[in-house]
Amino acid sequence: MLIDWFTVGAQVINFLILVWLLKRFLYKPILNAIDAREKRIAKELADADARKAEAQHERDTFQSKNEAFEQQRATLMTQAKDEAKTERLRLLDEARQAADSLSAKRQETLKNDAHHLNQGIARRTQQEVFAIARKALTDLAGASLEERMSGVFICRLRAMDDQTKESLAVALKSTSDPALVRSAFDLSEAQHAAIQNALNETFSAEIHVRFETAPDLLCGIEITTNGQKLAWSIADYLVSLQEGVDELLKEKSQPEEKSAQGANEQGT
Amino acid sequence: MHLSPDQIIFWQHGFFKLNATIAYTWGLMFVLAVGSKLVTRRLSTGHQRSRWQNLLEIIVTGIANQIKEVGLSQPEKYLGFLGTLFLFVAMASLFTIVPGYEPPTGSLSTTAALAICVFVAVPLFGIEKSGLGAYLRAYLKPTVIMLPFNIISEISRTLALAVRLFGNMMSGTMILAILLTITPFIFPIVMSALGLLTGMVQAYIFSILATVYIAAATRVRKPKPEPDASIEA
């Protein structure tokens, strides 16, 4: 007999026990371990995805921040450039103004100096000329000179233009006071008569004249009546001399100003 | 010379006895259980794991995939029964390389016991899946006349299952024993290797047939659609 029924029963029981043992020690732990690993891997993948998303988000944030920063930087840079440009222009203007004012001041000073110098020269010249003239006239003073002077005065009286003559005539007629004839030195009787005659002839009337000596006239004769005056004096020549000197100084100072202006324009 | 390890009896007391079949089965059970326990004692759920754990994972997932391929959608449910069938038969063949070992599957009692387990498990799984009535009605398909043939088919395939495994395992052992007496050198080694191969194939065949039977029993039979009356009219 090939089949032993006790052995069959025993083997059935053995097999069922083996099924239980293997379920307990093999299948369940192995399947649990595989499940746990799968869960863990799924979790890790999910974590990785989450981290990736987070990293992406952070990258985006950083990028946008960076862009904003770049934009801000560019704006600030432009602003700073503009400000620097404005400041530069302002400083340049200031410098130009300062240079202009300095130049103007300098020109003013130069002008003043020239003016003072001019005045000084004029005064000095005048003084010197007067001194020379005074000296020369003092040295030369004598009858002949006085005679000649009164002669010249009479000549001018006669050669007077119509307008002056008219105004003097009106002045002489409008007053009752005698006309005052002042001279730097004492005139002789003959001279008094000659002047009186000349006046009478010129104005065709009897002119009352009072003679007076005035040393400040500096070698000359003048007639004054009611605010009108006719005079001949060395001082006239001296005035024309002074005008000539003034003219000369002005001509000399003008080229200097021009050259100073040219230098300023080149500097700016 | 004996055909079955049942005949090697170590101890007997009336009906109870301890023969080589039972003893070697216990040995196999011990090796399987203790081996599994040792390996699964320190299971790793991380990426790094031991070689033995890898081996067991490959075996378990391989069996589960095989069950799934046959058509059972929830392999975890059947893994205990079908996986143990395969592992027991395969280990029984594998241990033939140990001198003096007699495979318990070379005993018709063992193979009959395994076939009886399958014979009982198939209707149990079927009833659990689709209910008693639906399962019993399956014997009447396609007609009532087929009922005896269906029953005969159930019994005969169980018998075939038992005898096939017994014949293969017994023949392997027998051929080896006979060859040892004729050509004691080299040739028995080749035959032993061939025996290992057929043993593995038998383990596969036995468990895959059991899977197919269970799959057939648990398959949801959809009722045929009733012919539409309006179309007929």
Side-chain angles (χ1 to χ4, degrees):
Chain A
M1 184 65 184
L2 285 173
I3 294 180
D4 177 37
W5 289 108
F6 171 76
T7 311
V8 170
Q11 288 296 70
V12 167
I13 291 164
N14 281 340
F15 179 72
L16 291 178
I17 289 168
L18 184 63
V19 167
W20 180 79
L21 281 173
L22 287 188
K23 259 190 181 174
R24 172 87 172 70
F25 294 126
L26 182 64
Y27 306 125
K28 210 175 265 177
I30 291 283
L31 288 177
N32 285 344
I34 291 171
D35 282 352
R37 187 180 307 122
E38 277 176 0
K39 271 182 194 162
R40 186 175 157 170
I41 289 168
K43 189 172 167 291
E44 278 176 5
L45 283 174
D47 281 355
D49 281 350
R51 277 188 198 158
K52 200 176 166 188
E54 197 181 343
Q56 182 87 23
H57 176 70
E58 274 180 14
R59 204 194 67 174
D60 287 350
T61 314
F62 177 72
Q63 211 164 3
S64 64
K65 270 187 189 169
N66 217 4
E67 276 171 12
F69 174 70
E70 285 287 332
Q71 214 166 356
Q72 198 180 357
R73 201 186 66 153
T75 316
L76 282 175
M77 199 66 149
T78 318
Q79 204 176 338
K81 270 184 187 168
D82 288 350
E83 277 176 8
K85 202 173 177 182
T86 319
E87 186 66 15
R88 194 177 75 98
L89 288 175
R90 195 183 65 76
L91 285 174
L92 272 175
D93 275 354
E94 263 183 19
R96 196 176 289 132
Q97 278 172 5
D100 285 352
S101 71
L102 263 176
S103 159
K105 210 181 261 179
R106 189 165 144 264
Q107 278 182 10
E108 189 69 29
T109 315
L110 276 171
K111 216 180 204 175
N112 285 342
D113 285 354
H115 185 64
H116 288 140
L117 186 64
N118 209 359
Q119 278 186 340
I121 289 168
R123 212 163 28 243
R124 191 72 179 269
T125 310
Q126 201 174 4
Q127 283 168 2
E128 287 294 326
V129 168
F130 286 171
I132 291 164
R134 201 170 285 125
K135 181 127 178 47
L137 289 170
T138 313
D139 290 349
L140 289 171
S144 62
L145 181 65
E146 285 160 12
E147 206 171 305
R148 187 73 201 126
M149 249 181 345
S150 61
V152 169
F153 179 68
I154 288 162
C155 276
R156 289 197 62 176
L157 207 58
R158 287 183 203 283
M160 200 161 44
D161 57 12
D162 291 343
Q163 203 181 346
T164 318
K165 195 193 273 180
E166 189 76 22
S167 61
L168 259 177
V170 170
L172 283 168
K173 278 170 190 169
S174 63
T175 182
S176 54
D177 293 338
L180 180 63
V181 173
R182 294 166 77 224
S183 60
F185 38 83
D186 292 334
L187 296 170
S188 62
E189 285 300 319
Q191 284 166 334
H192 280 190
I195 291 168
Q196 183 70 58
N197 281 338
L199 282 169
N200 289 349
E201 280 171 24
T202 308
F203 297 111
S204 313
E206 186 65 32
I207 306 295
H208 299 286
V209 178
R210 188 164 59 89
F211 290 95
E212 201 176 279
T213 306
D216 62 307
L217 265 178
L218 191 73
C219 192
I221 301 172
E222 68 171 20
I223 177 165
T224 313
T225 177
N226 199 21
Q228 295 284 328
K229 187 167 96 174
L230 179 70
W232 174 89
S233 163
I234 285 289
D236 289 346
Y237 296 115
L238 289 178
V239 165
S240 82
L241 172 66
Q242 192 175 1
E243 279 173 0
V245 171
D246 283 347
E247 195 72 27
L248 191 69
L249 282 171
K250 210 176 269 178
E251 277 175 11
K252 201 182 172 188
S253 66
Q254 266 175 354
E256 276 182 5
E257 282 177 14
K258 275 181 185 171
S259 65
Q261 270 184 346
N264 278 341
E265 279 167 8
Q266 276 182 346
T268 52
Chain B
M1 190 69 198
H2 45 78
L3 277 175
S4 164
D6 287 2
Q7 292 162 351
I8 308 166
I9 295 170
F10 300 126
W11 172 86
Q12 188 162 16
H13 187 265
F15 183 63
F16 300 98
K17 56 188 161 191
L18 178 63
N19 53 31
T21 310
I22 296 172
Y24 287 132
T25 303
W26 284 352
L28 282 176
M29 283 165 70
F30 180 79
V31 169
L32 280 170
V34 171
S36 303
K37 177 67 189 165
L38 283 176
V39 175
T40 57
R41 194 176 47 184
R42 285 192 301 270
L43 281 180
S44 151
T45 54
H47 301 301
Q48 291 288 330
R49 46 195 184 271
S50 66
R51 291 174 189 176
W52 287 106
Q53 186 183 344
N54 267 336
L55 177 71
L56 287 194
E57 280 186 13
I58 289 166
I59 290 169
V60 171
T61 50
I63 294 168
N65 285 338
Q66 201 64 50
I67 294 169
K68 205 173 183 178
E69 272 178 31
V70 171
L72 292 168
S73 54
Q74 288 175 303
E76 298 84 8
K77 202 167 152 187
Y78 310 98
L79 188 65
F81 180 72
L82 296 170
T84 309
L85 266 183
F86 173 77
L87 285 179
F88 178 67
V89 178
M91 290 301 283
S93 311
L94 195 67
F95 271 80
T96 51
I97 55 169
V98 178
Y101 166 83
E102 292 275 346
T105 42
S107 144
L108 190 58
S109 305
T110 307
T111 55
L114 295 179
I116 288 167
C117 286
V118 174
F119 180 75
V120 174
V122 167
L124 280 181
F125 281 125
I127 290 165
E128 189 207 31
K129 178 85 178 179
S130 48
L132 183 62
Y135 178 74
L136 289 178
R137 268 198 297 277
Y139 283 98
L140 303 175
K141 298 283 171 65
T143 57
V144 186
I145 306 161
M146 291 302 285
L147 175 66
F149 299 105
N150 279 333
I151 293 168
I152 291 165
S153 151
E154 285 287 322
I155 295 165
S156 66
R157 79 186 182 190
T158 306
L159 194 65
L161 210 58
V163 174
R164 184 189 301 112
L165 183 59
F166 161 71
N168 276 292
M169 297 314 293
M170 187 270 287
S171 65
T173 324
M174 288 296 286
I175 288 166
L176 205 64
I178 294 161
L179 278 174
L180 273 172
T181 57
I182 301 166
T183 54
F185 303 109
I186 300 169
F187 205 64
I189 298 171
V190 179
M191 287 312 291
S192 184
L194 197 65
L196 273 178
L197 179 68
T198 50
M200 289 296 146
V201 171
Q202 284 312 310
Y204 177 73
I205 287 171
F206 195 94
S207 49
I208 209 80
L209 279 176
T211 314
V212 168
Y213 298 154
I214 291 170
T218 56
R219 192 180 300 142
V220 181
R221 291 181 178 85
K222 288 180 184 171
K224 281 182 184 172
E226 292 289 326
D228 200 339
S230 63
I231 293 172
E232 275 186 345

